Amino acid sequence: MRITGGRARGITLAAGGNEDVRPATDRMREAVFSSLGARVQGARCLDLFAGTGAYGLEALSRGAAALRLVELNRRSVQAIGKNVAAVCKSMQADPAIAQVDQRDVFTWQAGWDRYDLVFADPPYALLPGRVYDVFRVALQALAAGGHFVFEMPGELELSHPGLELIRRLGKGRQQPSVAIYARSADTPPPPPA
């Protein structure tokens, strides 16, 4: 698995030996970032269930201004640290532009921070009972007019108040797909849980 575009293109990302991590494929990330286009430039990004940090680090490589990664698993957090160092070294950027929070996504709080792009690629096994919690956390962190990129199984069709589905990438049941949602400018964030 590698960074597919931008200043750190070609940098290999470590997975950290966590068997629960199902990294987004290079092909899927390329399709996502092609769809996002210029929205990535200068964006403040949040990567929930970061795993390897692939989505967030791809955004940095392609011109995002700052990144926060949220991941609970210790081994994954260690791998993310290595990946941040490798990507930032390749970009000749200060690693402080990417901050890692070792926290449970569902108890993590954005505080006053708001993000232009929020990525979520949760373990598929948790989606049946927690999918709307994923939306809640994303909406709390998403800036007005921001975009939420949600990787999920292809058979799911999900919607949430305050978010408009603008693009669906990937096809087929039991295959990964990505839904890109836009947050309307007048939607207030939900209250913290």
Side-chain angles (χ1 to χ4, degrees), residues 2-192:
R2 298 177 182 274
I3 298 294
T4 63
R7 292 171 48 203
R9 182 182 185 141
I11 295 296
T12 300
L13 300 176
N18 182 359
E19 295 167 4
D20 294 331
V21 171
R22 176 198 31 78
T25 65
D26 293 355
R27 180 181 235 165
M28 182 63 78
R29 278 184 287 111
E30 283 185 274
V32 165
F33 284 94
S34 177
S35 295
L36 292 173
R39 290 183 186 97
V40 179
Q41 291 296 316
R44 296 185 73 239
C45 300
L46 174 64
D47 193 344
L48 302 170
F49 308 97
T52 63
Y55 273 118
L57 292 169
E58 187 81 40
L60 272 187
S61 178
R62 291 171 182 255
L67 171 63
R68 182 171 298 272
L69 304 109
V70 182
E71 172 60 52
L72 181 60
N73 183 280
R74 180 184 55 80
R75 293 170 83 185
S76 292
V77 168
Q78 290 171 343
I80 291 169
K82 291 176 184 173
N83 293 338
V84 165
V87 167
C88 287
K89 180 179 180 182
S90 175
M91 294 171 48
Q92 297 180 340
D94 184 346
I97 64 173
Q99 298 183 5
V100 183
D101 291 344
Q102 185 175 356
R103 300 284 306 269
D104 181 336
V105 164
F106 299 118
T107 61
W108 178 81
Q109 295 290 321
W112 294 105
D113 292 335
R114 293 293 173 262
Y115 299 89
D116 305 302
L117 293 173
V118 175
F119 301 95
D121 186 4
Y124 289 175
L126 77 76
L127 288 179
R130 305 292 311 258
V131 69
Y132 291 102
D133 292 330
V134 175
F135 277 112
R136 176 187 52 79
V137 172
L139 266 171
Q140 284 174 347
L142 197 59
H147 287 76
F148 175 39
V149 178
F150 191 177
E151 185 165 323
M152 64 184 79
E155 62 270 16
L156 293 183
E157 296 289 334
L158 301 173
S159 62
H160 196 277
L163 291 171
E164 176 187 355
L165 179 65
I166 59 170
R167 187 92 192 241
R168 187 73 185 251
L169 304 167
K171 296 179 181 170
R173 296 179 65 77
Q174 306 299 319
Q175 296 295 318
S177 70
V178 170
I180 301 175
Y181 299 90
R183 179 174 173 196
S184 61
D186 59 349
T187 302

